[in-house]
Coordinates of all heavy atoms in Angstrom, one line a residue:
M1 N 0.8 -1.4 -0.1 CA 0.0 0.0 0.1 C 0.8 1.2 0.0 O 0.6 2.2 -0.8 CB -1.0 0.0 1.3 CG -1.8 1.2 1.4 SD -3.0 1.3 0.0 CE -3.6 2.8 0.5
W2 N 1.8 1.3 0.9 CA 2.7 2.5 1.0 C 3.5 2.8 -0.3 O 4.0 3.8 -0.6 CB 3.5 2.5 2.2 CG 4.4 1.4 2.4 CD1 4.2 0.2 3.0 CD2 5.8 1.3 1.9 NE1 5.3 -0.6 2.9 CE2 6.3 0.1 2.3 CE3 6.7 2.3 1.3 CZ2 7.5 -0.4 2.0 CZ3 7.9 1.9 1.1 CH2 8.4 0.6 1.4
M3 N 4.0 1.6 -0.9 CA 4.6 1.7 -2.1 C 3.8 2.3 -3.2 O 4.3 3.1 -4.1 CB 5.1 0.3 -2.6 CG 6.4 -0.4 -1.9 SD 7.7 0.8 -1.8 CE 8.3 0.4 -3.6
A4 N 2.5 2.1 -3.3 CA 1.5 2.6 -4.2 C 1.5 4.1 -3.9 O 1.5 5.0 -5.0 CB 0.2 2.0 -4.2
V5 N 1.5 4.5 -2.7 CA 1.4 6.0 -2.3 C 2.7 6.6 -2.8 O 2.7 7.8 -3.4 CB 1.1 6.2 -0.9 CG1 1.3 7.6 -0.4 CG2 -0.1 5.6 -0.5
L6 N 3.9 6.1 -2.6 CA 5.2 6.7 -3.0 C 5.3 6.6 -4.5 O 5.7 7.7 -5.1 CB 6.4 5.8 -2.4 CG 6.6 5.9 -0.9 CD1 7.7 4.9 -0.6 CD2 7.0 7.4 -0.6
G7 N 4.8 5.7 -5.2 CA 4.7 5.7 -6.6 C 3.9 6.8 -7.2 O 4.2 7.5 -8.2
L8 N 2.7 7.0 -6.5 CA 1.8 8.1 -6.9 C 2.4 9.5 -6.8 O 2.4 10.5 -7.7 CB 0.5 8.1 -6.3 CG -0.5 9.1 -6.5 CD1 -1.0 9.0 -7.9 CD2 -1.8 9.0 -5.6
I9 N 3.1 9.7 -5.7 CA 3.8 11.0 -5.4 C 4.9 11.1 -6.3 O 5.1 12.3 -6.9 CB 4.3 11.0 -3.8 CG1 3.2 11.0 -2.9 CG2 5.4 12.1 -3.7 CD1 3.6 10.9 -1.4
L10 N 5.6 10.0 -6.7 CA 6.7 10.1 -7.7 C 6.2 10.5 -9.1 O 6.7 11.4 -9.9 CB 7.5 8.9 -7.8 CG 8.7 8.9 -8.7 CD1 9.7 10.0 -8.3 CD2 9.3 7.5 -8.8
L11 N 5.0 9.9 -9.4 CA 4.3 10.3 -10.7 C 3.9 11.8 -10.8 O 4.1 12.3 -11.9 CB 3.2 9.3 -10.9 CG 2.4 9.5 -12.2 CD1 3.3 9.0 -13.4 CD2 1.1 8.6 -12.1
L12 N 3.3 12.2 -9.8 CA 2.8 13.6 -9.7 C 4.0 14.6 -9.7 O 4.0 15.6 -10.4 CB 2.0 13.9 -8.5 CG 0.7 13.1 -8.4 CD1 0.0 13.3 -7.2 CD2 -0.2 13.8 -9.7
S13 N 5.2 14.3 -9.1 CA 6.3 15.1 -9.1 C 7.0 15.1 -10.5 O 7.5 16.1 -11.0 CB 7.4 14.6 -8.0 OG 8.0 13.5 -8.3
V14 N 6.9 13.8 -11.2 CA 7.5 13.8 -12.6 C 6.7 14.7 -13.5 O 7.2 15.4 -14.4 CB 7.6 12.4 -13.0 CG1 7.8 12.3 -14.6 CG2 8.7 11.7 -12.3
A15 N 5.3 14.6 -13.3 CA 4.4 15.5 -14.1 C 4.8 16.9 -13.9 O 4.8 17.8 -14.9 CB 3.1 15.2 -13.9
S16 N 4.9 17.4 -12.7 CA 5.2 18.8 -12.3 C 6.5 19.2 -12.8 O 6.8 20.2 -13.3 CB 5.1 18.9 -10.9 OG 5.3 20.2 -10.4
A17 N 7.5 18.3 -12.7 CA 8.9 18.6 -13.2 C 8.9 18.7 -14.8 O 9.6 19.8 -15.2 CB 10.0 17.5 -12.9
I18 N 8.1 17.9 -15.5 CA 8.1 18.1 -16.8 C 7.4 19.4 -17.3 O 7.8 20.1 -18.3 CB 7.3 17.0 -17.5 CG1 8.2 15.7 -17.4 CG2 6.9 17.2 -19.0 CD1 7.4 14.4 -17.7
N19 N 6.4 19.9 -16.5 CA 5.7 21.0 -16.8 C 6.7 22.2 -16.6 O 6.7 23.1 -17.3 CB 4.5 21.2 -15.8 CG 3.7 22.5 -16.1 OD1 3.7 22.9 -17.2 ND2 3.0 22.9 -15.2
Q20 N 7.5 22.2 -15.5 CA 8.5 23.2 -15.2 C 9.6 23.2 -16.2 O 10.0 24.3 -16.8 CB 9.0 23.0 -13.8 CG 8.1 23.3 -12.8 CD 7.5 24.7 -12.7 OE1 8.1 25.7 -13.0 NE2 6.2 24.9 -12.4
A21 N 10.0 22.0 -16.8 CA 11.0 22.0 -17.7 C 10.6 22.6 -19.1 O 11.3 23.1 -19.8 CB 11.6 20.6 -17.8
R22 N 9.3 22.3 -19.4 CA 8.8 22.9 -20.7 C 8.8 24.4 -20.7 O 8.9 25.0 -21.6 CB 7.4 22.4 -21.0 CG 7.5 21.0 -21.5 CD 6.0 20.5 -21.7 NE 6.0 19.2 -22.1 CZ 4.9 18.4 -22.4 NH1 3.7 19.0 -22.2 NH2 5.0 17.3 -22.9
K23 N 8.7 25.0 -19.5 CA 8.7 26.5 -19.3 C 10.2 27.0 -19.3 O 10.4 28.2 -19.2 CB 8.1 26.9 -18.1 CG 6.5 26.6 -18.1 CD 5.9 27.0 -16.9 CE 4.4 26.7 -16.8 NZ 3.8 27.0 -15.4
G24 N 11.2 26.2 -19.3 CA 12.5 26.6 -19.2 C 13.1 26.7 -17.9 O 14.1 27.3 -17.7
R25 N 12.3 26.3 -16.8 CA 12.8 26.4 -15.5 C 13.4 25.1 -15.0 O 12.9 24.3 -14.3 CB 11.6 26.8 -14.6 CG 10.9 28.0 -15.0 CD 9.7 28.3 -14.1 NE 8.9 29.3 -14.5 CZ 7.7 29.7 -14.4 NH1 6.9 28.7 -13.6 NH2 7.1 30.6 -14.7
W26 N 14.8 24.9 -15.5 CA 15.4 23.6 -15.2 C 15.7 23.4 -13.8 O 15.7 22.3 -13.3 CB 16.7 23.5 -16.1 CG 16.2 23.5 -17.4 CD1 16.3 24.5 -18.4 CD2 15.7 22.4 -18.2 NE1 15.9 24.1 -19.6 CE2 15.5 22.8 -19.5 CE3 15.5 21.0 -17.8 CZ2 15.0 22.0 -20.5 CZ3 14.9 20.3 -18.8 CH2 14.7 20.6 -20.1
Y27 N 16.2 24.6 -13.0 CA 16.5 24.3 -11.7 C 15.2 24.0 -10.8 O 15.3 23.1 -9.9 CB 17.1 25.6 -11.0 CG 18.5 25.8 -11.5 CD1 18.9 26.9 -12.3 CD2 19.5 24.9 -11.1 CE1 20.3 27.0 -12.7 CE2 20.9 25.0 -11.6 CZ 21.2 26.0 -12.3 OH 22.5 26.2 -12.6
T28 N 14.1 24.6 -11.1 CA 12.9 24.3 -10.4 C 12.4 22.8 -10.7 O 12.1 22.2 -9.7 CB 11.7 25.3 -10.9 OG1 12.1 26.6 -10.6 CG2 10.5 25.0 -10.2
A29 N 12.6 22.3 -12.0 CA 12.3 21.0 -12.3 C 13.1 20.0 -11.4 O 12.6 19.1 -10.9 CB 12.4 20.7 -13.9
G30 N 14.3 20.3 -11.4 CA 15.3 19.5 -10.6 C 14.9 19.5 -9.2 O 15.1 18.5 -8.5
G31 N 14.7 20.6 -8.7 CA 14.3 20.9 -7.4 C 13.0 20.2 -6.9 O 12.7 19.9 -5.8
I32 N 12.2 19.9 -7.9 CA 11.0 19.1 -7.7 C 11.3 17.6 -7.8 O 10.8 16.9 -6.8 CB 9.9 19.5 -8.6 CG1 9.4 20.9 -8.4 CG2 8.6 18.6 -8.6 CD1 8.4 21.5 -9.5
L33 N 12.0 17.2 -8.7 CA 12.1 15.8 -9.0 C 13.1 15.2 -8.0 O 12.9 14.0 -7.6 CB 12.4 15.6 -10.5 CG 12.7 14.1 -10.9 CD1 11.3 13.5 -10.7 CD2 13.1 14.2 -12.4
F34 N 14.3 15.7 -7.9 CA 15.4 15.0 -7.1 C 15.0 14.8 -5.7 O 15.3 13.7 -5.2 CB 16.7 15.8 -7.3 CG 17.4 15.7 -8.7 CD1 18.0 16.6 -9.2 CD2 17.3 14.4 -9.3 CE1 18.6 16.5 -10.5 CE2 17.9 14.2 -10.5 CZ 18.5 15.3 -11.1
P35 N 14.5 15.7 -4.9 CA 14.1 15.4 -3.6 C 13.1 14.3 -3.4 O 13.1 13.4 -2.5 CB 13.6 16.7 -3.0 CG 14.1 17.8 -3.8 CD 14.2 17.1 -5.2
T36 N 12.1 14.3 -4.3 CA 11.0 13.3 -4.3 C 11.6 12.0 -4.7 O 11.3 10.9 -4.1 CB 9.9 13.7 -5.4 OG1 9.5 14.9 -5.0 CG2 8.8 12.6 -5.1
L37 N 12.5 11.9 -5.7 CA 13.2 10.6 -6.0 C 14.1 10.2 -4.8 O 14.2 9.0 -4.6 CB 13.9 10.8 -7.3 CG 14.6 9.6 -7.9 CD1 13.6 8.5 -8.3 CD2 15.4 9.9 -9.1
G38 N 14.8 11.1 -4.3 CA 15.6 10.8 -3.3 C 14.9 10.2 -2.0 O 15.4 9.2 -1.4
I39 N 13.8 10.8 -1.6 CA 13.0 10.3 -0.5 C 12.4 9.0 -0.9 O 12.4 8.1 0.1 CB 11.9 11.3 -0.1 CG1 12.6 12.6 0.5 CG2 10.9 10.7 0.8 CD1 11.7 13.8 0.7
D40 N 12.0 8.7 -2.0 CA 11.5 7.4 -2.5 C 12.7 6.4 -2.3 O 12.4 5.2 -1.9 CB 11.0 7.3 -3.9 CG 9.6 8.0 -4.0 OD1 8.9 8.2 -2.9 OD2 9.1 8.4 -5.0
L41 N 13.7 6.7 -2.8 CA 14.9 5.8 -2.7 C 15.3 5.6 -1.1 O 15.6 4.3 -0.8 CB 16.2 6.2 -3.4 CG 16.3 5.9 -5.0 CD1 17.4 6.6 -5.4 CD2 16.4 4.5 -5.1
M42 N 15.3 6.5 -0.4 CA 15.6 6.4 1.0 C 14.5 5.4 1.7 O 15.0 4.4 2.4 CB 15.6 7.6 1.8 CG 16.8 8.5 1.6 SD 17.0 9.8 2.7 CE 15.8 11.0 1.8
V43 N 13.3 5.5 1.5 CA 12.3 4.8 2.0 C 12.4 3.3 1.5 O 12.4 2.3 2.2 CB 10.9 5.3 1.9 CG1 9.8 4.4 2.3 CG2 10.7 6.6 2.6
F44 N 12.5 3.2 0.1 CA 12.6 2.0 -0.5 C 13.8 1.2 -0.1 O 13.8 0.0 0.2 CB 12.6 2.0 -2.0 CG 12.7 0.7 -2.8 CD1 11.6 -0.1 -2.7 CD2 13.8 0.4 -3.4 CE1 11.6 -1.3 -3.5 CE2 13.9 -0.8 -4.0 CZ 12.7 -1.7 -4.0
G45 N 15.0 1.9 0.0 CA 16.2 1.3 0.4 C 16.3 0.8 1.9 O 16.9 -0.1 2.1
A46 N 15.8 1.7 2.7 CA 15.8 1.4 4.2 C 14.8 0.5 4.6 O 15.1 -0.5 5.4 CB 15.7 2.8 4.9
V47 N 13.6 0.6 4.2 CA 12.6 -0.3 4.6 C 12.4 -1.5 3.9 O 12.3 -2.7 4.4 CB 11.3 0.5 4.6 CG1 9.8 -0.3 5.0 CG2 11.3 1.7 5.5
E48 N 12.2 -1.5 2.5 CA 12.0 -2.6 1.7 C 13.2 -3.5 1.5 O 13.0 -4.6 1.8 CB 11.4 -2.2 0.4 CG 11.0 -3.2 -0.6 CD 9.6 -3.9 -0.1 OE1 8.9 -3.3 0.7 OE2 9.5 -5.0 -0.6
R49 N 14.3 -3.0 1.0 CA 15.4 -3.7 0.8 C 16.4 -3.8 1.8 O 17.4 -4.6 1.7 CB 16.1 -3.2 -0.6 CG 15.3 -3.3 -1.7 CD 15.1 -4.8 -2.2 NE 14.2 -4.7 -3.4 CZ 13.7 -5.9 -3.8 NH1 14.0 -7.0 -3.3 NH2 13.0 -5.8 -4.9
Q50 N 16.4 -2.9 2.8 CA 17.4 -2.8 3.8 C 18.8 -2.7 3.2 O 19.8 -3.3 3.6 CB 17.4 -3.9 4.8 CG 16.1 -4.1 5.5 CD 15.9 -5.1 6.7 OE1 16.8 -5.8 6.7 NE2 14.8 -5.1 7.3
S51 N 18.9 -1.7 2.2 CA 20.1 -1.5 1.6 C 20.7 -0.1 1.9 O 20.0 0.9 1.7 CB 19.9 -1.6 0.0 OG 21.1 -1.1 -0.6
L52 N 21.9 -0.1 2.5 CA 22.6 1.0 2.9 C 22.8 2.0 1.7 O 22.8 3.2 1.7 CB 23.7 0.9 3.9 CG 24.4 2.0 4.5 CD1 23.4 2.7 5.5 CD2 25.5 1.6 5.2
L53 N 23.1 1.2 0.5 CA 23.7 2.0 -0.6 C 22.5 2.7 -1.2 O 22.6 3.9 -1.5 CB 24.1 0.8 -1.6 CG 24.5 1.6 -3.0 CD1 25.8 2.5 -2.8 CD2 24.8 0.4 -4.1
L54 N 21.3 2.2 -1.3 CA 20.1 2.9 -1.8 C 19.7 4.0 -0.9 O 19.4 5.1 -1.3 CB 18.8 1.9 -2.0 CG 19.0 1.0 -3.1 CD1 17.8 0.1 -3.2 CD2 19.1 1.7 -4.4
F55 N 19.9 3.8 0.5 CA 19.6 4.8 1.4 C 20.5 6.0 1.2 O 20.1 7.2 1.2 CB 19.6 4.3 2.8 CG 19.3 5.3 3.9 CD1 18.0 5.6 4.0 CD2 20.3 5.8 4.7 CE1 17.6 6.5 5.0 CE2 19.9 6.7 5.6 CZ 18.6 7.0 5.9
R56 N 21.8 5.8 1.0 CA 22.7 6.8 0.9 C 22.5 7.6 -0.5 O 22.6 8.8 -0.6 CB 24.2 6.3 1.0 CG 24.5 6.0 2.4 CD 26.0 5.5 2.7 NE 26.2 5.2 4.0 CZ 27.3 4.6 4.3 NH1 28.2 4.1 3.5 NH2 27.6 4.4 5.7
L57 N 22.3 6.8 -1.5 CA 21.9 7.5 -2.8 C 20.7 8.2 -2.7 O 20.8 9.4 -3.3 CB 21.7 6.4 -3.8 CG 21.6 6.8 -5.4 CD1 22.7 7.7 -5.8 CD2 21.1 5.6 -6.1
G58 N 19.8 7.9 -2.0 CA 18.6 8.7 -1.7 C 18.9 10.0 -0.9 O 18.3 11.1 -1.3
I59 N 19.8 10.0 0.0 CA 20.2 11.2 0.7 C 20.9 12.1 -0.2 O 20.7 13.4 -0.2 CB 21.2 10.8 2.0 CG1 20.3 10.1 3.0 CG2 21.8 12.0 2.5 CD1 21.1 9.6 4.1
V60 N 21.8 11.6 -1.1 CA 22.5 12.4 -2.1 C 21.5 13.1 -3.0 O 21.7 14.3 -3.3 CB 23.7 11.6 -2.8 CG1 24.2 12.3 -4.0 CG2 24.7 11.2 -1.8
L61 N 20.6 12.4 -3.5 CA 19.7 13.0 -4.4 C 18.8 14.0 -3.9 O 18.5 15.0 -4.4 CB 18.7 11.9 -5.0 CG 19.4 11.0 -6.1 CD1 18.5 9.8 -6.5 CD2 19.7 11.8 -7.3
A62 N 18.4 13.7 -2.6 CA 17.7 14.8 -1.9 C 18.5 16.1 -1.6 O 18.0 17.2 -1.8 CB 17.2 14.2 -0.5
V63 N 19.7 16.0 -1.3 CA 20.6 17.1 -1.0 C 20.7 17.8 -2.3 O 20.7 19.1 -2.3 CB 21.9 16.7 -0.4 CG1 22.8 17.9 -0.4 CG2 21.7 16.1 1.1
V64 N 21.0 17.1 -3.5 CA 21.2 17.8 -4.7 C 19.9 18.5 -5.2 O 19.9 19.6 -5.6 CB 21.7 16.7 -5.8 CG1 21.4 17.4 -7.2 CG2 23.0 16.3 -5.5
G65 N 18.8 17.9 -4.9 CA 17.5 18.5 -5.3 C 17.3 19.8 -4.4 O 16.8 20.8 -5.0
F66 N 17.5 19.7 -3.1 CA 17.3 20.9 -2.4 C 18.3 22.0 -2.8 O 18.0 23.3 -2.7 CB 17.5 20.6 -0.9 CG 16.2 19.8 -0.4 CD1 16.6 18.7 0.6 CD2 15.0 20.1 -0.7 CE1 15.5 17.9 0.9 CE2 13.9 19.3 -0.1 CZ 14.2 18.2 0.7
G67 N 19.5 21.6 -3.2 CA 20.5 22.6 -3.7 C 19.9 23.1 -5.0 O 20.1 24.4 -5.2
M68 N 19.2 22.4 -5.9 CA 18.8 23.0 -7.1 C 17.6 23.9 -6.9 O 17.4 24.9 -7.6 CB 18.4 21.8 -8.0 CG 19.5 20.9 -8.6 SD 19.0 19.8 -9.8 CE 18.8 20.8 -11.3
E69 N 16.8 23.6 -5.8 CA 15.7 24.4 -5.4 C 16.2 25.8 -4.9 O 15.7 26.9 -5.2 CB 14.9 23.7 -4.3 CG 13.5 24.5 -4.0 CD 12.6 24.7 -5.1 OE1 12.5 23.6 -5.9 OE2 12.0 25.7 -5.2
F70 N 17.3 25.8 -4.1 CA 18.0 27.0 -3.8 C 18.4 27.7 -4.8 O 18.3 29.0 -4.9 CB 19.1 26.7 -2.7 CG 19.9 27.9 -2.3 CD1 19.3 28.9 -1.5 CD2 21.1 28.2 -2.9 CE1 19.9 30.0 -1.1 CE2 21.8 29.3 -2.6 CZ 21.2 30.1 -1.6
M71 N 19.0 27.2 -5.9 CA 19.6 27.8 -7.1 C 18.4 28.5 -7.8 O 18.5 29.7 -8.3 CB 20.3 26.8 -7.9 CG 21.7 26.6 -7.4 SD 22.8 28.0 -7.2 CE 23.0 28.3 -9.0
A72 N 17.3 27.8 -7.9 CA 16.1 28.3 -8.5 C 15.6 29.6 -7.8 O 15.2 30.6 -8.5 CB 15.0 27.2 -8.6
Y73 N 15.5 29.5 -6.5 CA 15.1 30.5 -5.7 C 16.1 31.7 -5.8 O 15.6 33.0 -6.1 CB 15.1 30.2 -4.2 CG 14.8 31.4 -3.3 CD1 13.5 32.0 -3.2 CD2 15.8 31.9 -2.5 CE1 13.3 33.1 -2.5 CE2 15.6 32.9 -1.7 CZ 14.3 33.5 -1.6 OH 14.1 34.6 -0.9
W74 N 17.4 31.5 -5.8 CA 18.4 32.5 -6.0 C 18.4 33.3 -7.3 O 18.5 34.5 -7.4 CB 19.8 31.9 -5.7 CG 20.9 32.8 -5.8 CD1 21.0 33.9 -4.8 CD2 21.9 33.0 -6.7 NE1 22.2 34.6 -5.1 CE2 22.7 34.1 -6.3 CE3 22.3 32.3 -7.8 CZ2 23.9 34.4 -7.0 CZ3 23.4 32.7 -8.5 CH2 24.2 33.7 -8.1
R75 N 18.1 32.4 -8.4 CA 18.0 33.0 -9.7 C 16.9 33.9 -9.9 O 16.9 34.9 -10.5 CB 18.2 32.0 -10.8 CG 19.5 31.3 -10.9 CD 19.4 30.2 -12.0 NE 18.9 30.8 -13.2 CZ 19.5 30.5 -14.4 NH1 20.4 29.7 -14.4 NH2 19.0 31.1 -15.5
T76 N 15.8 33.5 -9.4 CA 14.6 34.1 -9.4 C 14.5 35.5 -8.6 O 14.2 36.5 -9.0 CB 13.3 33.3 -8.9 OG1 13.4 32.1 -9.6 CG2 12.0 34.1 -9.1
R77 N 15.1 35.3 -7.5 CA 15.4 36.5 -6.6 C 16.3 37.5 -7.1 O 16.0 38.7 -7.0 CB 16.0 36.0 -5.2 CG 16.0 37.0 -4.1 CD 14.7 37.0 -3.5 NE 14.8 37.8 -2.2 CZ 14.1 38.7 -1.9 NH1 12.9 38.9 -2.5 NH2 14.3 39.4 -0.8
A78 N 17.4 37.1 -7.8 CA 18.3 38.0 -8.3 C 17.7 38.7 -9.6 O 17.9 39.8 -9.8 CB 19.6 37.3 -8.8
S79 N 17.0 38.0 -10.4 CA 16.2 38.6 -11.6 C 15.3 39.5 -11.2 O 15.0 40.6 -11.9 CB 15.8 37.6 -12.6 OG 14.8 36.8 -11.9
G80 N 14.5 39.2 -10.1 CA 13.6 40.1 -9.6 C 14.1 41.4 -9.1 O 13.5 42.6 -9.3
A81 N 15.4 41.5 -8.5 CA 16.0 42.7 -8.0 C 16.5 43.5 -9.1 O 16.4 44.8 -9.1 CB 17.2 42.3 -7.2
E82 N 16.8 42.8 -10.2 CA 17.3 43.7 -11.3 C 16.2 44.3 -12.0 O 16.3 45.4 -12.6 CB 17.9 42.7 -12.3 CG 19.4 42.2 -11.9 CD 19.9 41.1 -12.8 OE1 19.4 40.8 -13.8 OE2 21.0 40.7 -12.3
R83 N 15.0 43.6 -12.0 CA 13.8 44.4 -12.6 C 13.4 45.6 -11.9 O 12.9 46.6 -12.4 CB 12.6 43.4 -12.7 CG 12.9 42.3 -13.9 CD 11.6 41.5 -14.0 NE 11.9 40.3 -13.8 CZ 11.4 39.3 -13.2 NH1 10.1 39.5 -12.7 NH2 11.8 38.0 -13.1
D84 N 13.6 45.5 -10.5 CA 13.2 46.7 -9.7 C 14.0 47.9 -9.9 O 13.7 49.0 -9.8 CB 13.1 46.3 -8.3 CG 11.9 45.3 -8.0 OD1 11.1 45.2 -8.8 OD2 12.1 44.5 -7.0
A85 N 15.3 47.7 -10.2 CA 16.3 48.8 -10.3 C 16.0 49.6 -11.6 O 15.5 49.4 -12.5 CB 17.8 48.1 -10.2

């Protein structure tokens, strides 16, 4: 049951990331997709397979995704400041 929920969340995040990528917002797309994929890998690796490698890979993907989300925020923030000036 919980795997179906994680699969649904992953499917929705992929759809949202594709929508953002079509608009040219690549950092936002990565910021949506990578943390979701990382959390799915962490849960699947730790609970289902009890694999430390999958768990660590999920942590890395989540951290990369949050970094991409920060870059998207920073780029949006910087371009907004230039428009005001």
Side-chain angles (χ1 to χ4, degrees):
M1 176 65 183
W2 60 273
M3 287 299 289
V5 171
L6 287 177
L8 180 64
I9 291 171
L10 183 62
L11 180 70
L12 291 173
S13 70
V14 166
S16 179
I18 289 171
N19 186 25
Q20 293 297 322
R22 285 184 179 170
K23 294 178 182 177
R25 300 177 186 158
W26 293 102
Y27 285 117
T28 304
I32 292 170
L33 184 61
F34 284 144
T36 307
L37 184 61
I39 290 170
D40 284 349
L41 271 178
M42 282 190 283
V43 170
F44 181 72
V47 176
E48 184 71 23
R49 297 287 179 192
Q50 296 181 354
S51 171
L52 189 59
L53 179 66
L54 287 177
F55 183 73
R56 288 183 179 169
L57 181 62
I59 290 172
V60 168
L61 283 175
V63 168
V64 167
F66 290 135
M68 289 184 81
E69 185 65 34
F70 174 74
M71 287 297 293
Y73 172 74
W74 184 66
R75 287 179 57 135
T76 304
R77 190 85 169 134
S79 64
E82 292 171 358
R83 279 187 241 144
D84 292 338

